[in-house]
């Protein structure tokens, strides 16, 4: 059993620790991500993570031939995964939990998180197979012959530009598409992926009686019946009316024929699909009365796992790419089509923007000057906030936000003698100013920022973040934020189910507390400098974007 960081925290008074006389209230969160399947069990009363295990697809299930969980073809734009691998992983992980002595019989509810956008295509045998899963056979054997498409396109697939253009045009352009579905058409979103299947494999599309997302497919296995798609993940399809949270008739029509008959209804994120399938109870000893909730996407689940339950609390994840997301009470979409709005597990909205040039871009500069991260930070600290007016547009790779299809790094007003140090600072200042500019459509003034991901250990980066946003920044541990969020969603759904009125604040308490003493406060003088500099940054960006392929002062 692995105690979490939360375990060592002081327990708030209102939370009663489990005693020997009371059975622990355990909840299971699963996370079916691109590369792995994870399980996290939490003890709600003691606020402890009591079990935490991950299974890597490539290593554990090499017979599927995946690389980082994906199947590649000659076309680099096409990226699929085998859905049977996800099912087999579920068997392996439950067997592992049983072997590790996890008290599965005490689990009260299960929920999960799935990589967003990926789709699974089932034929008319699927519903019957799911209701009669035989514990004497493996899931793979039980599911044999239920797929109308053996592989699933996933979020990394970008082969649907033509389909995006076709659907967008029918919906009335970028602004209208975003206003209706929450996002402009994106290649990885499920609608354009379904359209491509409909166009290129019409017979197999016709044989498809049910289309699932990764999340709803996994929930269907757990519940032993076709599970609904929750509002969080449903919004990542370009098929759901983001306001009414029902399938959008025009989007369905623009995507493929008879699509409505193939989609389960969208459901609230706390919906209980049923008790868990007897398959898991008989085979692994899972509590037969445990409630199986709908699953959601990894970003909505992470929002809960990070404690983003107040509008104004923002998470900035500094990974390979950077993401900026939070909670939004009233739906506002990005009519320029850069950002997305998903449903949030709290019942309202989750606005999200994703930047390709995150750590990756900082690594380029670090390597260019032969530095390690300490050396990088030292050079950065040789310069002052505002960088003497030097501005960089760091588009080493094509960028999502703003949309930049032809990469290029653009520098303005650099001092040639101090270029290395200025580069180190310019890139971080650029990333933070760009986040501030391109999150303006959310109309949410950050009051607390939670910094996560590998890059969040760099204090100078967090200081620039605090100064640009004029907002305190805290570090938060998130190794398993999606699985934790799924477990907390299971708690919330179960409490509702037994007639309580759970408050999110209480559900996430302790589990999502920031790292103690990690607060970085904004420095007023620097805040004023960035308030001025951001106008210059925006002007530089406009100039380059309007000019097309750009000029740079220095290669
Ligand atoms: C979000 C997105 C990814 C996937 C995989 O739009 O494409 O974050 O959810 O993690």
């Amino acid at each position: 059993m692995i105690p979490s960081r939360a375990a060592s925290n002081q327990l708030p008074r209102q939370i009663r620790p489990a005693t020997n006389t009371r059975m622990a209230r355990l909840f299971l969160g699963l996370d079916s991500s691109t590369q792995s399947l994870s399980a996290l069990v939490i003890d709600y009363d003691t606020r402890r993570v009591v079990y935490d295990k991950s299974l890597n697809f490539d290593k554990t299930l090499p017979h599927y031939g995946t690389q980082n969980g994906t199947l590649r073809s000659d076309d680099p734009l096409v990226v699929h995964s085998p859905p049977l691998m996800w099912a087999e992983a579920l068997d392996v992980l439950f067997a592992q939990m049983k072997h590790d002595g996890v008290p599965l019989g005490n689990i009260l509810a299960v929920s999960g998180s799935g990589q967003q956008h990926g789709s699974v295509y089932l034929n008319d045998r699927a519903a019957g197979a799911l209701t009669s899963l035989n514990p004497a056979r493996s899931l793979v054997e039980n599911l044999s012959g239920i797929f109308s498409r053996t592989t699933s396109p996933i979020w990394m697939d970008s082969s649907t530009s033509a389909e995006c253009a076709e659907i967008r045009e029918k919906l009335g352009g970028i602004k209208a598409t975003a206003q209706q579905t929450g996002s402009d058409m994106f290649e990885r979103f499920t609608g354009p992926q379904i359209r491509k299947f409909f166009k290129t494999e019409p017979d197999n599309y016709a044989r498809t009686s049910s289309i699932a997302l990764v999340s709803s497919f996994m929930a269907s296995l757990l519940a032993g019946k076709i599970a609904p798609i929750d509002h969080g993940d449903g919004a990542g399809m370009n098929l759901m009316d983001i306001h009414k949270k029902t399938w959008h008739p025009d989007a369905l029509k623009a995507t493929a024929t008879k699509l409505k008959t193939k989609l389960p209804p969208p459901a609230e994120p706390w919906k209980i699909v049923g008790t868990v399938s007897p398959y898991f109870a008989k085979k692994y000893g899972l509590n037969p009365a445990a409630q199986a909730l709908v699953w959601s996407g990894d970003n909505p689940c992470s929002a809960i796992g990070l404690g983003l339950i107040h509008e104004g609390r923002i998470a900035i994840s500094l990974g390979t790419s950077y993401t900026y997301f939070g909670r939004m009470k009233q739906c506002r979409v990005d009519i320029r089509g850069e950002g997305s709005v998903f449903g949030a597990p709290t019942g309202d909205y989750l606005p999200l923007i994703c930047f390709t040039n995150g750590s990756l871009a900082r690594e380029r500069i670090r390597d260019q000057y032969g530095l390690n991260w300490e050396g990088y930070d030292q050079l950065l600290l040789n310069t002052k906030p505002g960088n003497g007016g030097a501005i960089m547009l760091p588009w080493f790779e094509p960028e999502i936000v703003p949309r930049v299809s032809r990469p290029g790094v653009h520098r303005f007003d650099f001092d040639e003698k101090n270029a290395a140090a200025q580069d180190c600072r310019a890139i971080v200042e650029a990333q933070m100013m760009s986040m501030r500019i391109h999150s303006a459509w959310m109309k949410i003034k950050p009051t607390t920022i939670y910094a996560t991901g590998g890059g969040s250990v760099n204090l100078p980066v967090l200081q620039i973040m605090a100064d640009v946003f004029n907002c305190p920044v805290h570090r938060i541990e998130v190794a398993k934020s999606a699985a934790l969020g799924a477990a907390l969603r299971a708690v919330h759904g179960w409490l509702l189910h037994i007639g309580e009125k759970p408050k999110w604040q209480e559900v996430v308490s302790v589990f999502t507390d920031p790292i103690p003493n990690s607060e970085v406060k904004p420095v007023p003088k620097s805040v004023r400098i960035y308030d001025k500099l951001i106008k210059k940054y925006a002007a530089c960006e406009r100039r380059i974007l309007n000019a097309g392929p750009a000029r740079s002062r220095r290669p």
Side-chain angles (χ1 to χ4, degrees), residues 65-361:
T66 55
Q67 282 175 299
N68 301 323
T70 65
L71 298 169
R72 301 301 179 128
S73 71
D74 295 340
D75 182 348
L77 300 182
V78 173
V79 186
H80 287 209
S81 289
L84 265 183
M85 175 180 78
W86 299 326
E88 185 168 349
L90 197 58
D91 255 343
V92 177
L93 195 59
F94 265 95
Q96 182 71 49
M97 286 194 272
K98 187 177 174 189
H99 173 267
D100 290 344
V102 177
L104 290 169
N106 290 357
I107 301 280
L108 295 175
V110 188
S111 189
S113 153
Q115 52 168 310
Q116 291 200 252
H117 317 301
S119 41
V120 181
Y121 299 78
L122 304 166
N123 62 28
D124 57 7
R125 293 165 65 181
L130 286 167
T131 44
S132 55
L133 294 174
N134 177 357
R137 305 170 77 203
S138 67
L139 274 179
V140 168
E141 286 165 337
N142 274 292
L143 302 183
S144 141
I146 70 157
F147 297 97
S148 54
R149 190 183 196 183
T150 48
T151 60
S152 295
I154 63 157
W155 66 280
M156 294 166 80
D157 188 294
S158 51
S159 64
T160 61
S161 298
E163 289 75 18
C164 283
E166 289 160 5
I167 306 172
R168 183 190 290 122
E169 198 195 325
K170 291 216 174 105
L171 291 181
I174 294 179
K175 182 175 167 185
T177 304
Q179 281 171 332
Q180 293 169 83
T181 71
S183 306
D184 181 27
M185 304 304 300
F186 285 106
E187 280 74 1
R188 66 189 192 285
F189 276 40
T190 325
Q193 292 290 345
I194 293 173
R195 179 161 179 80
K196 184 179 165 198
F197 182 55
F198 162 73
K199 279 168 49 184
T200 56
E201 298 182 47
D203 294 343
N204 289 335
Y205 177 78
R207 287 197 308 115
T208 303
S209 49
S210 183
I211 299 175
L213 294 180
V214 178
S215 59
S216 65
F217 172 64
M218 298 299 280
S220 305
L221 300 183
L222 250 312
K225 57 169 124 153
I226 299 224
I229 289 175
D230 98 303
H231 298 155
D233 223 8
M237 301 175 81
N238 280 136
L239 291 176
M240 197 181 83
D241 181 323
I242 192 68
H243 308 282
K244 294 188 191 148
K245 297 182 175 163
T246 50
W247 297 129
H248 196 298
D250 295 345
L252 296 182
K253 202 164 143 219
T255 301
T257 53
K258 296 197 178 145
L259 184 49
K260 191 161 185 200
T261 61
K262 301 176 199 281
L263 292 173
E268 281 164 330
W270 45 82
K271 185 172 174 63
I272 284 178
V273 190
T275 47
V276 292
S277 161
Y279 177 88
F280 294 94
K282 292 193 180 129
K283 194 163 185 161
Y284 302 112
L286 182 62
N287 173 14
Q291 301 298 321
L293 267 88
V294 286
W295 287 33
S296 190
D298 55 353
N299 292 300
C301 287
S302 280
I304 291 301
L306 291 167
L308 303 186
I309 50 160
H310 301 294
E311 189 167 290
R313 194 178 284 180
I314 294 291
I316 297 184
S317 168
L318 303 177
T320 310
S321 59
Y322 287 177
T323 45
Y324 178 108
F325 58 114
R327 178 184 181 183
M328 187 191 254
K329 291 202 170 150
Q330 299 291 323
C331 183
R332 294 177 289 273
V333 298
D334 181 7
I335 55 169
R336 288 189 307 180
E338 293 170 349
S340 298
V341 176
F342 301 130
T346 40
D348 35 33
Y349 300 94
L350 172 91
L352 177 139
I353 36 177
C354 179
F355 301 80
T356 324
N357 289 281
S359 292
L360 187 125

Side-chain angles (χ1 to χ4, degrees), residues 44-63:
Y44 184 58
D45 298 297
T46 61
R47 306 276 152 163
R48 281 165 58 97
V49 174
V50 294
Y51 184 80
D52 174 359
K53 188 71 101 202
S54 277
L55 166 170
N56 177 281
F57 297 135
D58 295 359
K59 284 197 199 127
T60 317
L61 303 168
H63 44 283

Side-chain angles (χ1 to χ4, degrees), residues 22 27 34 68 153 209 212 251 253 264 269 301 321 368 396 429 436 451 462 475 548 553:
R22 185 170 185 217
F27 296 87
T34 314
N68 301 323
S209 49
K253 202 164 143 219
C301 287
S321 59
Q368 183 180 326
F396 292 84
E429 292 188 341
R436 187 173 137 186
L462 301 193
R475 275 179 55 215
R553 296 238 164 146

